[in-house]
Amino acid sequence: MSMKSWQNQRGFLFLKEERCKGCGFCIDLCPKKVLRQSEVMNAKGYHPPELYDVEGCIMCDICTEICPDFAIYRYRSKERGKNA
Amino acid sequence: MVPQEHPLEQLLRSDRMPHIWCPGCGLGTDLGCYLRALSGMDLDKVAFVSGIGCSGRAAGYVAVDSFHVTHGRGIPFAIGLKVANPELTVTVWGGDGDIFAIGGNHFIHAARRNIELNVICINNAIYGMTGGQVAPSTPLRAKTTTTPYGNYEHPFNFSYMAAASGATYVARWTTAHTKELTKSMREALEWKGFSFIEVISMCPTTFGRRNGFADGLEMLKDMKARSEVKNFPDLEDTDIGEKIVVGKFVEKEKRSYLEEVKQWR
Ligand SMILES: Cc1ncc(C[n+]2csc(CCOP(=O)(O)OP(=O)(O)O)c2C)c(N)n1
Ligand code: SF4
Ligand code: SF4
Ligand code: SF4
């Protein structure tokens, strides 16, 4: 399974491209609008998102929580006291 | 080292992924909230029961002891589990058709008894799995395959019905309210009595496209915009219309079924 990841000083964003069904929830709900639909097409024919502004990602939990397909998720480098 | 797997991977049957649910279906997000609510609980003591329908498929994806039973019979099956093994925390997960049409009578009597079950109804206002027939929660005038000119039946208000039947914990959220829903699910899992959560969710494939929605995202944004948070509202005012009242509706003390039974043994 193809796994994408992006890293900044706040943490990592992972994407299991083959699980994505292209619903666009993550792209629309991202508070920083740093995701967009990629040109990649997965085996099921969907276009997964990509993090085009890596530094702009605040590693919140919004895409992780809304993704119906358990495809996109973030880990923080060090847990901070509060969710940003 | 950073973990590579999804934070909920341990709670999912990974070999079954990707799940069968359509693009933009709310069920995956709803299940994610439930799995988050389960985190930290003793998983050997949790049982998950679901009936038939798209919602019912959840039993095949949760990595706890799970049972996929016949249509509408999740509640009676779960009552058997709970009475035989009171140590278990038992969740019943199902669609609006499963729990309130074919299974409606089981629901009201389980609520009346205040038996220690956690019932979660994914209300997508339609029979999704069978192709989009009218459900007891389909809004008035909505188009379905069996109401092509618009629905002329008044829908149930499930949360009100749960409260009126005797449920001691009732909450309603939408798929858009992931944090609130997760918190309510955890409270419901730990509740000593009959707890009910109604999740207003979206079926873009059989409901949305016949009712003017382009996709699941549009439905998700619509339900978020129409939601109004009110805790402990007057239940008369919680019928789903232009507004969707969400929040914690009921939380009250009452002796549970098993406490009553114990008294006689
Ligand atoms: C005894 C019986 N009657 C009818 C059916 C056909 N059937 C399968 S799923 C379903 C309803 C599904 O609707 P809902 O419970 O709302 O779940 P959804 O698919 O929308 O998640 C029906 C009527 C069945 N499987 N078994
Ligand atoms: S973690 Fe937050 S900021 Fe980063 S892509 Fe996801 S939603 Fe956007
Ligand atoms: S929310 Fe999940 S399934 Fe939907 S586009 Fe984003 S990664 Fe893909
Ligand atoms: S038919 Fe509807 S409820 Fe069933 S998986 Fe598709 S979108 Fe979800």
Side-chain angles (χ1 to χ4, degrees), chain A residues 3 12 14 16 18-19 21 23-25 28-29 44 46 61 64-73 75 83, chain B residues 2-9 12 17-19 21 23-25 28-29 32 36 175 178-179 202 216-217 221:
Chain A
M3 171 102 102
F12 292 81
F14 292 102
K16 287 193 170 172
E18 293 310 321
R19 282 188 182 177
K21 295 187 187 136
C23 68
F25 292 2
D28 194 86
L29 268 68
K44 284 186 181 266
Y46 301 115
D61 219 4
T64 314
E65 285 186 9
I66 206 68
C67 175
D69 288 90
F70 307 96
I72 192 165
Y73 47 98
Y75 279 97
N83 276 0
Chain B
V2 182
Q4 300 271 311
E5 284 304 335
H6 192 286
L8 299 173
E9 206 67 32
L12 273 176
M17 295 292 124
H19 53 58
W21 296 320
C25 176
T29 305
R36 234 165 259 123
T175 302
T178 49
K179 291 223 176 347
M202 60 284 187
L217 177 60
K221 286 157 79 171

Side-chain angles (χ1 to χ4, degrees), chain A residues 21-81:
Chain A
K21 295 187 187 136
C23 68
F25 292 2
C26 56
I27 298 172
D28 194 86
L29 268 68
C30 169
K32 294 291 167 188
K33 298 281 177 261
V34 289
L35 294 169
R36 70 178 171 208
Q37 200 180 65
S38 70
E39 310 258 287
V40 176
M41 189 184 275
N42 68 15
K44 284 186 181 266
Y46 301 115
H47 291 291
E50 65 184 358
L51 181 64
Y52 72 92
D53 177 1
V54 179
E55 289 312 315
C57 171
I58 55 171
M59 300 292 165
C60 63
D61 219 4
I62 290 175
C63 54
T64 314
E65 285 186 9
I66 206 68
C67 175
D69 288 90
F70 307 96
I72 192 165
Y73 47 98
R74 70 92 170 96
Y75 279 97
R76 293 209 169 154
S77 293
K78 41 180 168 342
E79 279 306 323
R80 293 160 192 226

Side-chain angles (χ1 to χ4, degrees), chain B residues 21-22 25 27 54 124 128 203-206:
Chain B
W21 296 320
C22 306
C25 176
L27 277 161
C54 296
N124 56 14
C203 169
T205 305
T206 79

